[in-house]
Amino acid sequence: MIRAELSKLVSLPATWTTLAWTLAANVLLTFVIAVGDAPVAYSRAGFIVLGVLATCSEYTGGQIRTTLTAMPRRVRQLAAQHAALAVVTLPASLVVALSGPLITMVVAGTPVALWQVAETTAYLTLLTLVSAAVGVLLRHTLAGVGLLLGCLFVAAPFVHEYLPDDLVTLVVSTPVLLIVAALAYRRRDA
Amino acid sequence: MWSGRPAGWLGGVITIDGLVKRRGGKEILAGIGFEARPGRVTGFLGPNGAGKSSTLRILLGLDRAQAGTALVDGVPYPALPDPVRTVGAVLDGSGAHRSRTGRAHLRWVARSAGLPPARVEEVLTLVGLADAAGKRVGGYSLGMGRRLALATALLGDPSVLVLDEPLNGLDPEGIRFVRTFLRDRAQSGRTVLLSSHLMGELAETVDDVVVIDHGRIVAKGTLAEVTGAHRNLEDAFFALTSGSGR
């Protein structure tokens, strides 16, 4: 099932264009802002798009019906889809997380903070999974991306002081949202 | 009825019983029940909005009924051990994302059932899509999309085919192909259940007929039984559905 979901994800051209644009934007921003992984604050938007697309693309051309007739055990299928997304996202996050600090090292000679790269990689991967879960709930790409960007760039700065560290917030919210999405997905009419 | 399964029995009995579906306070299905048997083409006929698609979607585990059961060989669809090899479904549209190629679409479905990539090429040839397999689905005509849906349904060489309005959007050649194909499937002992609102198109294709109107079964039986004293199936249909069909 994971192989089927992987095959689905990598044969979607939007997966690759989103990742390519995200990396390009991150590299460009690093030259503009020129401080390590700061550009990730903006380029994480690309991972939101990737996550939402992974689940919302099911609702284009009636693909969801093909998916659910081929893999009718819905919770397992959804889990496989998220696992496949993680398999693709983890290395992509690492590349993006590493790109900024590497450029800074080459240009300014600042050493790469490996722990920070690992943290950023985990952050981006979890953010992608959360986005996929939101996509499952909303079933609409633009609505999903809009909502998540709104949360991250508009709402988050206001509530920031009441929340723990970004990564901790994600570590807690990811499983919660995944479970909520799975419960909704299991019961509803496709 | 099936006392002692004959040699080469493929299974594939569809049993629908007492299906009730309400959506937004409106009753779409009010206790639908019928059977579709191996070796026969069963036509599920009714005007648009009668509840045909809802019934088929519940049978395929896509929608949930408030009451009743829809079983394949005694098992609800989501519990089938090997759905792709048991039931092939053709619903409206292609069922594929427009930016994927036809081949890539078939490949992921094949992979979900552990079928080899060679099987993808086989079904592409079977439905006459081999030349368009590398093109994106977004560039397909309506008829090509329907052929891709049929190819998807045939991947696992299933014992049951469920088709919702399979003749919609097909050119005369495509209609002829699908008709002959479905007859051949039934001939080889498989179950074919197809819905349609076009009576004239089906009289030569179906063995059994189930007529639905306003979420209720108004007639079921063999083609001869349902046609009865009427001139043809179309006349019988209009008499049974009191002209609510177009």
mmCIF file of all heavy atoms in Angstrom, chain B residues 70-95:
data_model
loop_
_atom_site.group_PDB
_atom_site.id
_atom_site.type_symbol
_atom_site.label_atom_id
_atom_site.label_comp_id
_atom_site.label_asym_id
_atom_site.label_seq_id
_atom_site.Cartn_x
_atom_site.Cartn_y
_atom_site.Cartn_z
ATOM 1 N N ALA B 70 -25.141 -4.310 1.428
ATOM 2 C CA ALA B 70 -24.749 -4.527 0.036
ATOM 3 C C ALA B 70 -23.513 -5.416 0.094
ATOM 4 O O ALA B 70 -22.472 -4.997 0.599
ATOM 5 C CB ALA B 70 -24.440 -3.205 -0.644
ATOM 6 N N LEU B 71 -23.647 -6.651 -0.382
ATOM 7 C CA LEU B 71 -22.579 -7.626 -0.208
ATOM 8 C C LEU B 71 -22.104 -8.203 -1.532
ATOM 9 O O LEU B 71 -22.873 -8.343 -2.474
ATOM 10 C CB LEU B 71 -23.064 -8.778 0.690
ATOM 11 C CG LEU B 71 -23.703 -8.406 2.027
ATOM 12 C CD1 LEU B 71 -24.270 -9.644 2.703
ATOM 13 C CD2 LEU B 71 -22.688 -7.718 2.932
ATOM 14 N N VAL B 72 -20.809 -8.548 -1.575
ATOM 15 C CA VAL B 72 -20.243 -9.290 -2.693
ATOM 16 C C VAL B 72 -19.803 -10.641 -2.133
ATOM 17 O O VAL B 72 -18.954 -10.666 -1.234
ATOM 18 C CB VAL B 72 -19.041 -8.558 -3.315
ATOM 19 C CG1 VAL B 72 -18.474 -9.358 -4.481
ATOM 20 C CG2 VAL B 72 -19.440 -7.165 -3.772
ATOM 21 N N ASP B 73 -20.410 -11.711 -2.618
ATOM 22 C CA ASP B 73 -20.148 -13.048 -2.070
ATOM 23 C C ASP B 73 -20.292 -13.047 -0.545
ATOM 24 O O ASP B 73 -19.484 -13.639 0.171
ATOM 25 C CB ASP B 73 -18.750 -13.545 -2.463
ATOM 26 C CG ASP B 73 -18.685 -13.867 -3.947
ATOM 27 O OD1 ASP B 73 -19.745 -14.212 -4.532
ATOM 28 O OD2 ASP B 73 -17.594 -13.757 -4.529
ATOM 29 N N GLY B 74 -21.295 -12.338 -0.062
ATOM 30 C CA GLY B 74 -21.598 -12.343 1.365
ATOM 31 C C GLY B 74 -20.746 -11.426 2.214
ATOM 32 O O GLY B 74 -20.838 -11.455 3.437
ATOM 33 N N VAL B 75 -19.898 -10.622 1.585
ATOM 34 C CA VAL B 75 -18.970 -9.768 2.336
ATOM 35 C C VAL B 75 -19.176 -8.309 1.921
ATOM 36 O O VAL B 75 -19.285 -8.025 0.733
ATOM 37 C CB VAL B 75 -17.504 -10.175 2.031
ATOM 38 C CG1 VAL B 75 -16.521 -9.299 2.778
ATOM 39 C CG2 VAL B 75 -17.270 -11.638 2.365
ATOM 40 N N PRO B 76 -19.210 -7.372 2.888
ATOM 41 C CA PRO B 76 -19.263 -5.963 2.490
ATOM 42 C C PRO B 76 -17.966 -5.565 1.777
ATOM 43 O O PRO B 76 -16.888 -6.032 2.159
ATOM 44 C CB PRO B 76 -19.415 -5.199 3.804
ATOM 45 C CG PRO B 76 -19.428 -6.191 4.894
ATOM 46 C CD PRO B 76 -19.193 -7.559 4.341
ATOM 47 N N TYR B 77 -18.072 -4.711 0.773
ATOM 48 C CA TYR B 77 -16.913 -4.369 -0.057
ATOM 49 C C TYR B 77 -15.634 -4.051 0.728
ATOM 50 O O TYR B 77 -14.567 -4.597 0.426
ATOM 51 C CB TYR B 77 -17.259 -3.203 -1.003
ATOM 52 C CG TYR B 77 -16.203 -2.951 -2.037
ATOM 53 C CD1 TYR B 77 -16.288 -3.526 -3.299
ATOM 54 C CD2 TYR B 77 -15.082 -2.163 -1.751
ATOM 55 C CE1 TYR B 77 -15.309 -3.314 -4.247
ATOM 56 C CE2 TYR B 77 -14.101 -1.947 -2.697
ATOM 57 C CZ TYR B 77 -14.216 -2.526 -3.942
ATOM 58 O OH TYR B 77 -13.239 -2.334 -4.870
ATOM 59 N N PRO B 78 -15.706 -3.172 1.738
ATOM 60 C CA PRO B 78 -14.457 -2.812 2.438
ATOM 61 C C PRO B 78 -13.774 -3.999 3.133
ATOM 62 O O PRO B 78 -12.599 -3.920 3.476
ATOM 63 C CB PRO B 78 -14.906 -1.780 3.478
ATOM 64 C CG PRO B 78 -16.194 -1.241 2.955
ATOM 65 C CD PRO B 78 -16.844 -2.384 2.244
ATOM 66 N N ALA B 79 -14.514 -5.098 3.316
ATOM 67 C CA ALA B 79 -13.920 -6.263 3.991
ATOM 68 C C ALA B 79 -13.416 -7.302 2.987
ATOM 69 O O ALA B 79 -12.880 -8.343 3.392
ATOM 70 C CB ALA B 79 -14.943 -6.898 4.923
ATOM 71 N N LEU B 80 -13.548 -7.048 1.691
ATOM 72 C CA LEU B 80 -13.054 -8.010 0.690
ATOM 73 C C LEU B 80 -11.550 -8.184 0.854
ATOM 74 O O LEU B 80 -10.813 -7.205 0.953
ATOM 75 C CB LEU B 80 -13.355 -7.512 -0.726
ATOM 76 C CG LEU B 80 -14.794 -7.592 -1.215
ATOM 77 C CD1 LEU B 80 -14.927 -6.911 -2.575
ATOM 78 C CD2 LEU B 80 -15.258 -9.040 -1.304
ATOM 79 N N PRO B 81 -11.073 -9.443 0.861
ATOM 80 C CA PRO B 81 -9.637 -9.658 1.058
ATOM 81 C C PRO B 81 -8.799 -9.133 -0.111
ATOM 82 O O PRO B 81 -7.663 -8.714 0.088
ATOM 83 C CB PRO B 81 -9.503 -11.174 1.191
ATOM 84 C CG PRO B 81 -10.813 -11.754 0.799
ATOM 85 C CD PRO B 81 -11.849 -10.688 0.841
ATOM 86 N N ASP B 82 -9.360 -9.154 -1.319
ATOM 87 C CA ASP B 82 -8.583 -8.717 -2.478
ATOM 88 C C ASP B 82 -9.494 -7.953 -3.441
ATOM 89 O O ASP B 82 -9.901 -8.479 -4.477
ATOM 90 C CB ASP B 82 -7.977 -9.946 -3.165
ATOM 91 C CG ASP B 82 -6.847 -9.573 -4.110
ATOM 92 O OD1 ASP B 82 -6.661 -8.358 -4.371
ATOM 93 O OD2 ASP B 82 -6.180 -10.487 -4.607
ATOM 94 N N PRO B 83 -9.842 -6.703 -3.085
ATOM 95 C CA PRO B 83 -10.876 -5.981 -3.841
ATOM 96 C C PRO B 83 -10.582 -5.855 -5.340
ATOM 97 O O PRO B 83 -11.487 -6.007 -6.155
ATOM 98 C CB PRO B 83 -10.949 -4.610 -3.161
ATOM 99 C CG PRO B 83 -9.755 -4.515 -2.290
ATOM 100 C CD PRO B 83 -9.350 -5.912 -1.946
ATOM 101 N N VAL B 84 -9.322 -5.559 -5.707
ATOM 102 C CA VAL B 84 -9.016 -5.305 -7.123
ATOM 103 C C VAL B 84 -9.224 -6.559 -7.976
ATOM 104 O O VAL B 84 -9.604 -6.476 -9.137
ATOM 105 C CB VAL B 84 -7.578 -4.756 -7.267
ATOM 106 C CG1 VAL B 84 -7.185 -4.613 -8.729
ATOM 107 C CG2 VAL B 84 -7.454 -3.410 -6.565
ATOM 108 N N ARG B 85 -8.990 -7.749 -7.388
ATOM 109 C CA ARG B 85 -9.191 -8.985 -8.132
ATOM 110 C C ARG B 85 -10.627 -9.495 -8.023
ATOM 111 O O ARG B 85 -10.988 -10.475 -8.658
ATOM 112 C CB ARG B 85 -8.232 -10.072 -7.653
ATOM 113 C CG ARG B 85 -6.814 -9.849 -8.132
ATOM 114 C CD ARG B 85 -5.952 -11.065 -7.781
ATOM 115 N NE ARG B 85 -4.553 -10.826 -8.093
ATOM 116 C CZ ARG B 85 -3.732 -10.109 -7.337
ATOM 117 N NH1 ARG B 85 -4.162 -9.544 -6.227
ATOM 118 N NH2 ARG B 85 -2.473 -9.941 -7.695
ATOM 119 N N THR B 86 -11.440 -8.866 -7.184
ATOM 120 C CA THR B 86 -12.808 -9.321 -7.004
ATOM 121 C C THR B 86 -13.804 -8.455 -7.767
ATOM 122 O O THR B 86 -14.677 -8.958 -8.474
ATOM 123 C CB THR B 86 -13.174 -9.323 -5.503
ATOM 124 O OG1 THR B 86 -12.115 -9.935 -4.780
ATOM 125 C CG2 THR B 86 -14.459 -10.085 -5.252
ATOM 126 N N VAL B 87 -13.661 -7.130 -7.630
ATOM 127 C CA VAL B 87 -14.619 -6.216 -8.249
ATOM 128 C C VAL B 87 -13.876 -5.135 -9.038
ATOM 129 O O VAL B 87 -12.908 -4.557 -8.550
ATOM 130 C CB VAL B 87 -15.497 -5.528 -7.170
ATOM 131 C CG1 VAL B 87 -16.496 -4.566 -7.829
ATOM 132 C CG2 VAL B 87 -16.240 -6.557 -6.320
ATOM 133 N N GLY B 88 -14.338 -4.888 -10.250
ATOM 134 C CA GLY B 88 -13.834 -3.759 -11.021
ATOM 135 C C GLY B 88 -14.964 -2.752 -11.143
ATOM 136 O O GLY B 88 -16.091 -3.130 -11.423
ATOM 137 N N ALA B 89 -14.654 -1.476 -10.882
ATOM 138 C CA ALA B 89 -15.711 -0.469 -10.901
ATOM 139 C C ALA B 89 -15.417 0.613 -11.927
ATOM 140 O O ALA B 89 -14.296 1.092 -12.039
ATOM 141 C CB ALA B 89 -15.850 0.155 -9.522
ATOM 142 N N VAL B 90 -16.440 0.961 -12.705
ATOM 143 C CA VAL B 90 -16.336 2.082 -13.630
ATOM 144 C C VAL B 90 -17.410 3.090 -13.245
ATOM 145 O O VAL B 90 -18.589 2.847 -13.453
ATOM 146 C CB VAL B 90 -16.543 1.633 -15.093
ATOM 147 C CG1 VAL B 90 -16.441 2.826 -16.034
ATOM 148 C CG2 VAL B 90 -15.519 0.572 -15.477
ATOM 149 N N LEU B 91 -17.001 4.191 -12.606
ATOM 150 C CA LEU B 91 -17.958 5.243 -12.264
ATOM 151 C C LEU B 91 -17.770 6.395 -13.255
ATOM 152 O O LEU B 91 -17.004 6.275 -14.194
ATOM 153 C CB LEU B 91 -17.747 5.677 -10.811
ATOM 154 C CG LEU B 91 -17.932 4.544 -9.789
ATOM 155 C CD1 LEU B 91 -17.665 5.023 -8.382
ATOM 156 C CD2 LEU B 91 -19.331 3.960 -9.883
ATOM 157 N N ASP B 92 -18.479 7.492 -13.046
ATOM 158 C CA ASP B 92 -18.386 8.565 -14.052
ATOM 159 C C ASP B 92 -16.980 9.158 -14.100
ATOM 160 O O ASP B 92 -16.247 9.139 -13.118
ATOM 161 C CB ASP B 92 -19.435 9.647 -13.793
ATOM 162 C CG ASP B 92 -19.224 10.329 -12.449
ATOM 163 O OD1 ASP B 92 -18.929 9.609 -11.481
ATOM 164 O OD2 ASP B 92 -19.340 11.556 -12.377
ATOM 165 N N GLY B 93 -16.608 9.671 -15.265
ATOM 166 C CA GLY B 93 -15.281 10.257 -15.449
ATOM 167 C C GLY B 93 -14.210 9.184 -15.566
ATOM 168 O O GLY B 93 -14.501 8.001 -15.722
ATOM 169 N N SER B 94 -12.951 9.614 -15.482
ATOM 170 C CA SER B 94 -11.848 8.676 -15.665
ATOM 171 C C SER B 94 -11.391 8.084 -14.331
ATOM 172 O O SER B 94 -10.770 7.032 -14.291
ATOM 173 C CB SER B 94 -10.666 9.392 -16.319
ATOM 174 O OG SER B 94 -10.192 10.417 -15.458
ATOM 175 N N GLY B 95 -11.662 8.779 -13.226
ATOM 176 C CA GLY B 95 -11.171 8.333 -11.921
ATOM 177 C C GLY B 95 -9.677 8.539 -11.774
ATOM 178 O O GLY B 95 -9.051 7.953 -10.896
#
